[in-house]
Amino acid sequence: MNNTGSSGCLLDKVGLICTFLVGLQVLRWLWRFVYDNFVAVALGLNAVDLKRQGKWAVITGASDGIGKAYAEHLAKKGLNIVLISRTKSKLDIVAQDLEKKYSVETKTIAVDFTDTRSIYHDIDKQLTGLEIGVLINNVGMSYSHPEYFLENKDNDHLYDDLIACNIYSVTNMCKIVMPGMVERRKGVVVNISSTAAQIPSPMLTVYAATKSYVVKFSEDLATEYARYITSVV
Ligand SMILES: NC(=O)c1ccc[n+]([C@@H]2O[C@H](COP(=O)([O-])OP(=O)(O)OC[C@H]3O[C@@H](n4cnc5c(N)ncnc54)[C@H](OP(=O)(O)O)[C@@H]3O)[C@@H](O)[C@H]2O)c1
């Protein structure tokens, strides 16, 4: 009788301690979120002066969607923009628009990031001599529709293309652009991942896995280069 009572009491205590620890962790996450998104922003504590990182920003997948929005935002801040994506005509329209609206310089590079071979040599050559302060690795592709791994009949090389476009691009663009940042001891790299990297994503398996690579790569790269450049996120 006594034994049951004391083991019940012990379980209560363990339960309380666990609840306390989980509560503490939730509070820490909440505080971090509120601090990063509201407190630090309001007080200007986490603001990086992007224009002071270098004269140019490089954005992959820049002619549409999120990449185009980054191009607009950074041009508005006065950075010159290198826009990289597949379709030259689309790139030219965005570039002309930015030059007209914000009086910045632009440069366009038309490449297909599913091609893993020659494009990086070409990109490297075209970026030579530019003082690049911001790199936005935005380009990315997904499936046309969710599908079982073995059932994808759309495209024989879909998985190769996904890996090339989502993983090779981030890795190689960092390899090309970061040496200049390290030399000047400043620069910001933003690698775009996806919530698919953090939540269960069956039927988008290869896409989600490539985006997990982006998270892990960015976290460890940020640690490696924290001494040299402003941030990798
Ligand atoms: N949109 C979302 O809801 C969402 C959610 C989570 C994560 N993301 C991630 O955010 C990033 C941008 O997404 P988004 O929806 O803004 O993309 P988007 O609207 O589809 O824009 C794609 C851009 O990338 C270019 N592009 C596509 N494939 C390319 C290739 N093989 N080679 C070179 N350029 C290529 C396109 O240019 P062309 O038209 O000339 O090919 C366009 O400029 C991606 O990495 C995506 O995975 C998006």
Side-chain angles (χ1 to χ4, degrees), residues 1-86:
M1 189 74 172
N2 257 350
N3 267 354
T4 322
S6 62
S7 64
C9 193
L10 185 67
L11 273 179
D12 283 350
K13 282 184 183 152
V14 171
L16 263 176
I17 292 170
C18 289
T19 311
F20 174 76
L21 289 176
V22 171
L24 208 66
Q25 187 68 347
V26 170
L27 273 179
R28 256 191 51 189
W29 285 335
L30 255 176
W31 168 243
R32 185 88 234 165
F33 179 80
V34 172
Y35 180 84
D36 285 350
N37 291 288
F38 304 104
V39 181
V41 173
L43 300 176
L45 295 176
N46 65 350
V48 175
D49 186 344
L50 294 173
K51 200 156 174 221
R52 292 186 66 176
Q53 305 302 310
K55 292 186 182 119
W56 287 83
V58 174
I59 305 163
T60 65
S63 60
D64 230 324
I66 296 169
K68 187 176 166 189
Y70 264 108
E72 180 98 23
H73 182 76
L74 294 171
K76 201 171 178 178
K77 285 188 175 297
L79 280 109
N80 299 324
I81 311 286
V82 181
L83 304 121
I84 313 180
S85 57
R86 239 175 340 195

Side-chain angles (χ1 to χ4, degrees), residues 148-168:
Y148 284 94
F149 178 67
L150 299 178
E151 299 300 317
N152 215 313
K153 306 280 189 270
D154 267 7
N155 172 352
D156 259 1
H157 39 83
L158 175 68
Y159 301 145
D160 288 344
D161 288 353
L162 274 162
I163 291 166
C165 191
N166 301 1
I167 293 184
Y168 277 50

Side-chain angles (χ1 to χ4, degrees), residues 98-136:
L98 295 178
E99 286 181 11
K100 212 162 84 190
K101 269 169 85 182
Y102 304 111
S103 308
V104 293
E105 287 178 52
T106 64
K107 192 174 167 77
T108 60
I109 305 176
V111 286
D112 186 338
F113 281 105
T114 61
D115 179 354
T116 53
R117 289 170 196 278
S118 55
I119 62 164
Y120 295 103
H121 179 67
D122 183 31
I123 293 172
D124 194 8
K125 234 169 90 187
Q126 299 213 48
L127 296 182
T128 301
L130 301 183
E131 188 192 86
I132 300 163
V134 179
L135 168 64
I136 312 287

